[in-house]
Amino acid sequence: MSNDASEDLKSGALHYHRHPQPGKIEVTPTKPLGNQRDLALAYSPGVATPCEAIVEDPEEVDNLTSRSNLVAVLTNGTAVLGLGNIGPLASKPVMEGKAVLFKKFAGIDVFDLEVKADDPEKFCEVATALEPTFGGINLEDIKAPECFEIEEALIQRMNIPVLHDDQHGTAIIVAAAIQNGLSIADKRIEDVKIVTAGAGAAALACLNMLLLLGARRENIWVTDIDGVVHTGRAESMDRWKAKFARETAHRTLADVIPDADVFLGLSTGGVLKPEMLQHMAERPLVLALANPIPEIMPDVAKEARPDVMICTGRSDFPNQVNNVLCFPYLFRGALDVGATQINDEMKLAAVKAIAALAREPSSDVAARAYGGQTRLFGPDFLIPTPFDPRLILRIAPAVARAAMDSGVARRPIEDFDAYNDRLNRFVFRSGLVMKPLFTQARTATKRVIYAEGEDERVLRAAQVSIEEGLAQPILVGRPDVVRTRLDRYGLSIEPGKDFELINPQDDPRYRDYVDTYLRRTWRRGVTPDRARTVVRTSSTVIAALAVERGEADAMICGLEGRFDAHLAHIRDVIGVAPGVRDFSALSLIIVSNGAYFLADTHVTTDPTADEIADMCILSAKQVCRFGMTPKIALLSHSAFGSRDTPSAQKMREAVELIRRKAPELEVEGEMHGDAALDEAYRKRVYPLSTLTGEANMLIMPNLDAANIVFHLLKTVSNALPVGPILLGAAKPAHILTPSVTARGVVNMTAIAAVEAQSCEES
């Protein structure tokens, strides 16, 4: 990463953590507190009853409180990321980040606790005293060897799962990668020679996990900053490291690497030299996990040994060893059966589940997770990616079963089909709905032009798009203004180098743009003088002309001005796609319990039944790009014929039109909103409805309803809005709104880029 890019990341990280409010987590109630009775039930006097129930039966705490889904992320800040001993206060952003990952990937609530206690015994006293609060403890960023002492002591003293993720999370993923790598190389784990660089907590945990899988201690060689761990060595030794000491005259990594089948690096960048790799055994497996610079870069390793299989800790290379592959789902399975500990059987179950997932035949779910690409098990795909939605579906049940089989489950699961169904529902409510679009956008980078190229939000979004490989930005803006604002916001991207800039005051294509615009609009009364004025003064027209002329693949506008004014320009220059009656707009709203698409939120005041049918079919195509199956509900004040007003009749007719035009779509209506979102209620009151599950596409009878619902949901639920997504344009064009954030512009960039890819394919 360049210095400038590094500085941009630092600036962006500070902005991210400060706005719109400090930090990354908050506590929200799960029960209503809307009146005096609610308050009486939640607190005094009603709360006394559940307290008495827990006194009578302590197991009731799992049914009456959030404890069974609450984990403590606990640290003293002595070994934080690559920052070292920065102390508990400075470690808090990392612990909040861990809390976010638990919640996002597995629906687990977290209190992060930063404890000012370097002494292991004092730390253990604090942690042990907190057992009544938590269903599990995730130890984080504690230096070795104290982390071993603390974990061992807490497991003995506490009756809830305790896991030092830096050790065991890494160990589980490494073991899965080694298991699959050795399978491809046709080697047995009990026969292979394993060499490590690094002998910290993670490395030693990896080796212990490999011993459980069948590796032999006599085949393991451990090296660290002081050389080979050998008998009689006094420097930097402890009882955990001494377990792997060898009687040998070898003293360096170079001495022990010849004929090694597996290299496990958890040390520092560049320690594995190409000449060392050349002396390893046939089809060597290299896990170079130092960050940000691995022990050997994959391209260097491939050049030295074309037969090498390599894993790193980086997301920009295949086979990323990332703890998020494991720890959320390991805890999910443990909590769901009320496990009293996370034992070896549960860890091994996680290893086998991760390894098996990489070997599974490709599926639609997997392809969506990888942006439409089919990944096949092999040297470049030894382990799944961290965003594979199937991880929770494989790991959590495997861990839960292992806890039950090994006798540490207090609440065994009786119906695993129902449990798997619950996990499945969570996958599609996790808020990761944008991930497939981001992944797909990177597969074939498209040119996205931003009409308001001088806006801070666009400049920040352009920076992210370049760094993430989402798109090739083209900005409409005055060069001096753009450069001044890039400097002001601390952004390193440069016009002409990182992105193209169209100067609305002096672009050599101006006359060509005027000619194109005039040809598109002269039948609507536009004169040459008017054409010259519009092209000179409207950045939206310039962006639309660039797309129309093939100089850009997609456009984004609307950060300033009225939606309908931008739409008029797009209508004039780009027009509607063949066979489409008119434009419409789809908006995505991501709330805590799911993602919902609403239409038409911005265009048609009172659409006809035919227009609603067309809108639904176009919307469904967009929803599929998110890796979701459209479940469409046409909403009304009428429920299945209960009212016979014109709007109810219109929605009723639209349902039949959709079923005729697109019989493959799941659509139902006209219906109330609660029936669309509550399957249990719908089955009870309308048992003949054909809609299954929960609707994720909500189609409104008119613009008033759709726009009002969208803005209310966005405001009252602290939701993440995406869009609006313009439907029906002949070429990809999208109009945002002035309230959009830089994050919103980035999201729309990914959507526009994927849409451009689809246009090229068709």
Side-chain angles (χ1 to χ4, degrees):
M1 182 182 289
S2 71
N3 250 2
D4 286 340
S6 178
E7 289 304 313
D8 288 335
L9 186 61
K10 290 178 181 177
S11 171
L14 291 174
H15 185 274
Y16 176 87
H17 282 78
R18 284 181 176 136
H19 303 285
Q21 64 189 56
K24 298 188 287 281
I25 58 175
E26 66 179 4
V27 176
T28 58
T30 61
K31 299 294 192 297
L33 289 168
N35 54 41
Q36 183 61 37
R37 179 167 174 78
D38 289 344
L39 193 58
L41 294 172
Y43 199 55
S44 179
V47 74
T49 303
C51 292
E52 290 167 347
I54 295 169
V55 170
E56 185 175 335
D57 180 5
E59 294 294 319
E60 277 295 298
V61 72
D62 294 336
N63 301 319
L64 296 170
T65 74
S66 62
R67 181 177 184 263
S68 63
N69 194 52
L70 185 62
V71 165
V73 171
L74 201 59
T75 190
N76 59 10
T78 52
V80 179
L81 296 174
L83 303 174
N85 188 354
I86 61 173
L89 186 64
S91 75
K92 189 170 181 64
V94 180
M95 302 311 123
E96 285 191 356
K98 193 82 172 195
V100 169
L101 296 179
F102 265 110
K103 186 67 174 179
K104 184 67 76 174
F105 286 93
I108 294 171
D109 294 314
V110 164
F111 291 162
D112 62 291
L113 300 174
E114 295 75 30
V115 180
K116 190 175 182 180
D118 287 356
D119 175 64
E121 181 54 35
K122 182 178 179 182
F123 187 95
C124 288
E125 288 176 3
V126 172
T128 305
L130 292 169
E131 182 171 352
T133 302
F134 296 103
I137 301 284
N138 180 91
L139 299 173
E140 193 75 18
D141 293 347
I142 301 170
K143 71 182 179 72
E146 288 89 337
C147 62
F148 302 121
E149 299 176 37
I150 289 170
E151 187 185 43
E152 284 181 3
L154 293 183
I155 289 173
Q156 291 173 2
R157 299 181 193 182
M158 303 181 82
N159 202 39
I160 57 175
V162 177
L163 183 85
H164 186 214
D165 180 51
D166 297 331
Q167 294 180 58
H168 305 294
T170 303
I172 287 167
I173 303 159
V174 163
I178 289 177
Q179 190 175 71
N180 280 344
L182 295 181
S183 171
I184 290 172
D186 196 23
K187 298 177 181 179
R188 300 193 311 162
I189 193 166
E190 55 265 35
D191 299 330
V192 298
K193 178 180 179 181
I194 301 168
V195 174
T196 78
L204 296 179
C206 289
L207 293 178
N208 286 320
M209 182 62 68
L210 294 177
L211 290 175
L212 290 175
L213 284 176
R216 293 178 178 169
R217 193 171 304 182
E218 59 266 27
N219 292 339
I220 296 174
W221 297 80
V222 177
T223 72
D224 61 11
I225 194 169
D226 293 307
V228 173
V229 173
H230 60 88
T231 53
R233 196 182 97 171
E235 302 89 353
S236 305
M237 291 295 289
D238 54 60
R239 62 184 173 93
W240 296 276
K241 195 183 297 185
K243 174 180 176 180
F244 295 97
R246 300 289 301 269
E247 184 71 46
T248 179
H250 295 315
R251 292 295 180 266
T252 68
L253 176 62
D255 292 339
V256 297
I257 200 69
D259 299 320
D261 298 279
V262 177
F263 170 81
L264 174 60
L266 285 150
S267 54
T268 190
V271 300
L272 182 63
K273 307 301 181 185
E275 56 270 25
M276 297 181 187
L277 181 56
Q278 289 172 344
H279 292 294
M280 290 184 68
E282 183 182 354
R283 302 201 77 178
L285 176 58
V286 170
L287 296 102
L289 306 183
N291 261 324
I293 307 299
E295 283 79 2
I296 187 168
M297 294 296 289
D299 55 338
V300 175
K302 292 280 187 182
E303 184 177 351
R305 285 293 297 269
D307 61 339
V308 71
M309 292 176 281
I310 185 164
C311 302
T312 71
R314 290 175 44 153
S315 61
D316 50 345
F317 296 115
N319 296 322
Q320 183 195 12
V321 174
N322 184 329
N323 283 17
V324 81
L325 269 167
C326 174
F327 73 82
Y329 319 118
L330 181 62
F331 269 95
R332 182 73 278 160
L335 293 174
D336 288 341
V337 294
T340 57
Q341 61 178 271
I342 294 176
N343 57 25
D344 288 343
E345 290 88 348
M346 295 159 73
K347 296 172 195 171
L348 285 171
V351 171
K352 293 173 183 176
I354 294 170
L357 178 56
R359 299 193 298 269
E360 280 191 26
S362 182
S363 67
D364 291 342
V365 173
R368 289 199 297 266
Y370 305 131
Q373 295 182 7
T374 299
R375 301 288 183 96
L376 299 176
F377 177 59
D380 289 332
F381 191 60
L382 298 175
I383 47 177
T385 73
F387 288 97
D388 191 325
R390 299 171 298 171
L391 284 164
I392 192 171
L393 305 177
R394 302 294 185 273
I395 299 173
V399 169
R401 286 187 187 277
M404 292 163 57
D405 292 344
S406 59
V408 298
R410 292 186 296 108
R411 299 189 312 275
I413 293 171
E414 295 180 1
D415 186 344
F416 267 90
D417 288 338
Y419 180 59
N420 286 326
D421 183 61
R422 181 159 62 88
L423 295 177
N424 234 322
R425 288 171 182 264
F426 171 76
V427 168
F428 292 103
R429 290 181 173 180
S430 64
L432 295 172
V433 293
M434 286 302 302
K435 181 60 185 176
L437 277 297
F438 276 72
T439 306
Q440 180 63 36
R442 296 187 188 103
T443 62
T445 309
K446 294 299 175 184
R447 300 163 299 171
V448 176
I449 185 167
Y450 304 86
E452 293 90 2
E454 298 173 1
D455 191 287
E456 176 186 358
R457 293 164 292 179
V458 166
L459 295 172
R460 291 191 180 278
Q463 176 90 38
V464 173
S465 297
I466 293 167
E467 289 176 351
E468 298 289 327
L470 299 177
Q472 300 171 30
I474 303 171
L475 274 58
V476 180
R478 295 162 292 177
D480 55 335
V481 175
V482 169
R483 287 191 177 91
T484 298
R485 293 183 179 179
L486 287 171
D487 291 341
R488 182 190 304 166
Y489 305 135
L491 303 174
S492 66
I493 55 174
E494 298 178 22
K497 177 184 174 183
D498 300 300
F499 64 90
E500 183 182 346
L501 186 63
I502 295 179
N503 181 0
Q505 297 178 335
D506 183 24
D507 191 275
R509 293 164 291 191
Y510 172 69
R511 289 184 179 179
D512 293 334
Y513 279 13
V514 171
D515 290 343
T516 303
Y517 184 71
L518 190 59
R519 284 195 300 272
R520 296 286 297 170
T521 61
W522 73 276
R523 285 283 189 180
R524 289 188 285 277
V526 175
T527 64
D529 285 343
R530 176 61 182 162
R532 283 189 285 271
T533 300
V534 170
V535 173
R536 182 73 75 192
T537 58
S538 174
S539 60
T540 296
V541 168
I542 293 171
L545 288 167
V547 172
E548 177 64 19
R549 290 164 54 84
E551 295 165 3
D553 301 305
M555 68 169 284
I556 292 174
C557 63
L559 283 81
E560 300 169 6
R562 295 190 349 258
F563 187 97
D564 56 348
H566 293 285
L567 182 61
H569 289 316
I570 291 171
R571 188 187 301 277
D572 284 343
V573 178
I574 293 176
V576 297
V580 175
R581 284 182 173 83
D582 200 0
F583 297 104
S584 53
L586 177 71
S587 294
L588 168 61
I589 196 88
I590 303 173
V591 293
S592 59
N593 64 334
Y596 304 99
F597 295 85
L598 284 67
D600 176 0
T601 53
H602 286 81
V603 179
T604 309
T605 304
D606 189 12
T608 66
D610 282 314
E611 288 171 331
I612 288 172
D614 290 349
M615 175 204 313
C616 283
I617 294 168
L618 290 172
S619 296
K621 290 180 181 178
Q622 284 285 357
V623 172
C624 288
R625 291 192 177 117
F626 287 80
M628 299 170 67
T629 300
K631 292 180 176 291
I632 309 168
L634 273 62
L635 302 186
S636 172
H637 67 287
S638 170
F640 302 104
S642 64
R643 302 285 294 274
D644 211 24
T645 60
S647 68
Q649 291 175 356
K650 176 178 69 175
M651 300 305 275
R652 208 173 301 149
E653 182 184 346
V655 170
E656 297 308 316
L657 288 170
I658 296 165
R659 286 173 174 166
R660 287 203 299 269
K661 293 180 178 182
E664 72 281 3
L665 294 179
E666 184 175 348
V667 60
E668 185 61 282
E670 84 284 12
M671 64 198 304
H672 291 163
D674 53 357
L677 300 180
D678 187 339
E679 184 181 26
Y681 167 73
R682 188 173 63 251
K683 284 182 174 180
R684 185 176 73 252
V685 181
Y686 307 108
L688 300 181
S689 169
T690 59
L691 183 66
T692 60
E694 179 183 81
N696 54 25
M697 270 181 61
L698 306 176
I699 308 301
M700 310 289 172
N702 57 47
L703 180 61
D704 281 347
N707 193 271
I708 290 168
V709 169
F710 173 70
H711 285 290
L712 282 175
L713 279 175
K714 181 178 71 171
T715 304
V716 302
S717 61
N718 195 28
L720 171 64
V722 179
I725 304 167
L726 189 64
L727 305 172
K731 295 182 180 179
H734 297 286
I735 308 167
L736 302 182
T737 61
S739 63
V740 72
T741 63
R743 180 186 184 191
V745 179
V746 172
N747 285 337
M748 279 308 304
T749 298
I751 291 170
V754 171
E755 189 176 355
Q757 291 175 0
S758 299
C759 291
E760 188 175 80
E761 291 168 3
S762 60

